[in-house]
């Protein structure tokens, strides 16, 4: 299963290699933006929300979609914690 995590492009770090810095829930990561660049300029991507998977910005999304995706991912994380707690208690 492919999972994309929302991030916002905050700066261009290496124009020659089409690399940018994305802010993902307060954590800054370098990502390749070649897939979302199209015919535009790299600087036009600053402020753009995108789904990031294994270091690549895969698609552009709007801010509302980014917020909803983050909410769902947080809910899934909480569900995973609950499942792990249930497994731990069943093993005792």
């Amino acid at each position: 299963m492919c999972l994309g995590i929302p991030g916002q492009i905050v700066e261009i770090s290496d124009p020659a290699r089409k690399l940018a810095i994305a802010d993902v829930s307060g954590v800054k990561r370098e990502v390749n933006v070649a897939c979302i660049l199209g015919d535009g300029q790299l600087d036009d991507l600053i402020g753009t929300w995108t789904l990031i998977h294994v270091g690549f910005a895969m698609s552009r999304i709007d801010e509302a979609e980014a917020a909803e995706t983050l909410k769902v991912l947080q809910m899934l994380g909480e569900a995973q914690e609950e499942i792990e707690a249930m497994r731990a208690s069943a093993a005792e």
Side-chain angles (χ1 to χ4, degrees), residues 4-27:
I5 300 192
Q8 187 175 34
I9 306 298
V10 294
E11 75 178 82
I12 304 304
S13 57
D14 186 344
R17 294 174 44 208
K18 295 186 173 93
L19 298 176
I21 303 297
D23 183 320
V24 179
S25 295
V27 177

Side-chain angles (χ1 to χ4, degrees), residues 1-49:
M1 176 171 116
C2 287
L3 181 64
I5 300 192
Q8 187 175 34
I9 306 298
V10 294
E11 75 178 82
I12 304 304
S13 57
D14 186 344
R17 294 174 44 208
K18 295 186 173 93
L19 298 176
I21 303 297
D23 183 320
V24 179
S25 295
V27 177
K28 297 202 166 118
R29 300 277 187 217
E30 191 167 54
V31 298
N32 185 298
V33 294
C35 293
I36 64 167
L37 182 58
D39 294 330
Q41 300 294 315
L42 283 169
D43 287 336
D44 294 340
L45 292 177
I46 295 174
T48 299
W49 283 93

Side-chain angles (χ1 to χ4, degrees), residues 50-91:
T50 182
L51 285 177
I52 299 167
H53 179 66
V54 293
F56 289 85
M58 301 303 293
S59 62
R60 294 181 193 214
I61 59 175
D62 62 32
E63 189 172 0
E65 185 177 356
E68 184 63 26
T69 302
L70 283 170
K71 180 179 169 184
V72 169
L73 290 173
Q74 289 169 344
M75 288 175 14
L76 288 173
E78 291 172 11
Q80 184 62 35
E81 288 175 15
E82 184 66 26
I83 291 167
E84 288 172 14
M86 289 168 52
R87 283 185 183 149
S89 67

